[in-house]
Amino acid sequence: MRDFTYPATIVTAKTLFKVLGMTFQMSGTEHVPREGGAILAANHIGYVDFVFDGLAAQPSGRLVRFMAKKDAFDHPVSGPIMRSFHHISVDRDNGQQSYDDAVRYARDGEIVGIFPEATISRSFEIKELKTGAVRMAAEAGVPLIPMVTWGTQLLKTKDHESDLRGRGKTIGLHVGAPIAVTGDDPVAETAVLRDAMSALLDHAIAEYPLRPEGQWWAPARHGGTAPTLAEAARMDEEEYAARAARRAARNTEQ
């Protein structure tokens, strides 16, 4: 793929991060292959995760093609940018197309970034994962690479005020060893992926310069005040129900 805007945007972003005094903690970046396809499976704790996740592939000289909601591609500003970066549009009404595109990208030697939790984790723990990442890696015949981002929730996440200035913030990017998958048992292999991501999360929290105890942005398991996984699941269900009710009301008015 020819890339013109993507590399230039990364250079600009790195300069901006430096001006803002942002620091980065990275580990395991050597696990990102310097050539060939892969599926990079990352956690999802904030709205700007994808802005930073790709930096973990920079030491290997790679660009990550992220799977993102179709809305971002339909927007008059972000749409042309997303397409110029060769990201993958995810249409929930036609999920098979985005799945097929991701497999094709990976087979063609691209690194495809995916958030297997599907939605932001209010607990900041690793939620139950969809099996898509495992199935994509198996079908494409490429390694599945677990990854965890930490600190992006301090910029913009659900239920909390945003601080997109990012001044002085630390972002953790931690990559795990590739997981070989066969696709014979996607559920069991997805459980292996979740365990790997959970271990990376514990490492990220332990290495982070701010202590988690008593902090809204930290999991309850680490002494933070974020909802537990069960509480967060209940909040998600309430959100989905409210959203469905609003859609039904709009349809009734039409």
Side-chain angles (χ1 to χ4, degrees), residues 6-227:
Y6 203 169
T9 300
I10 290 174
V11 171
T12 301
K14 286 182 175 180
T15 301
L16 177 61
F17 298 153
K18 186 174 182 179
V19 169
L20 291 173
M22 299 182 72
T23 57
F24 291 86
Q25 295 178 319
M26 292 191 184
S27 69
T29 56
E30 70 276 5
H31 294 307
V32 178
R34 292 187 173 275
E35 59 183 22
I39 301 295
L40 184 67
N43 65 328
H44 201 10
I45 55 175
Y47 290 106
V48 295
D49 291 342
F50 72 96
V51 173
F52 298 95
D53 286 359
L55 296 178
Q58 284 293 289
S60 295
R62 303 299 302 275
L63 298 174
V64 181
R65 317 298 178 176
F66 286 100
M67 302 186 72
K69 290 181 181 179
K70 180 176 178 290
D71 294 352
F73 290 81
D74 292 339
H75 192 277
V77 176
S78 64
I81 296 173
M82 298 293 280
R83 286 187 286 275
S84 73
F85 289 2
H86 302 293
H87 291 327
I88 301 170
S89 175
V90 178
D91 184 350
R92 290 184 177 179
D93 294 330
N94 185 20
Q96 187 62 46
Q97 182 60 57
S98 57
Y99 176 92
D100 292 343
D101 288 343
V103 171
R104 175 171 56 83
Y105 271 43
R107 280 178 176 163
D108 288 346
E110 299 290 340
I111 296 180
V112 176
I114 182 173
F115 300 106
E117 294 168 290
T119 57
I120 289 173
S121 173
R122 283 183 158 102
S123 69
F124 307 119
E125 294 270 21
I126 307 299
K127 298 168 61 174
E128 291 299 318
L129 307 182
K130 307 295 185 182
T131 60
V134 163
R135 292 185 289 109
M136 288 174 190
E139 188 170 340
V142 299
L144 175 63
I145 304 174
M147 175 182 170
V148 156
T149 304
W150 191 246
T152 54
Q153 72 272 43
L154 295 171
L155 301 176
K156 186 174 176 63
T157 191
K158 285 187 175 183
D159 308 324
H160 296 278
E161 291 186 6
S162 302
D163 182 9
L164 290 172
R165 295 169 300 174
R167 191 170 297 280
K169 296 291 193 299
T170 298
I171 304 297
L173 303 170
H174 303 279
V175 184
I179 300 171
V181 295
T182 64
D184 293 337
D185 189 344
V187 173
E189 291 180 329
T190 298
V192 173
L193 172 62
R194 186 170 185 266
D195 287 345
M197 292 173 68
S198 294
L200 286 170
L201 178 66
D202 289 342
H203 170 72
I205 295 173
E207 293 296 313
Y208 203 64
L210 301 178
R211 301 311 308 155
E213 292 80 10
Q215 301 294 339
W216 66 262
W217 45 262
R221 183 170 57 87
H222 285 268
T225 62

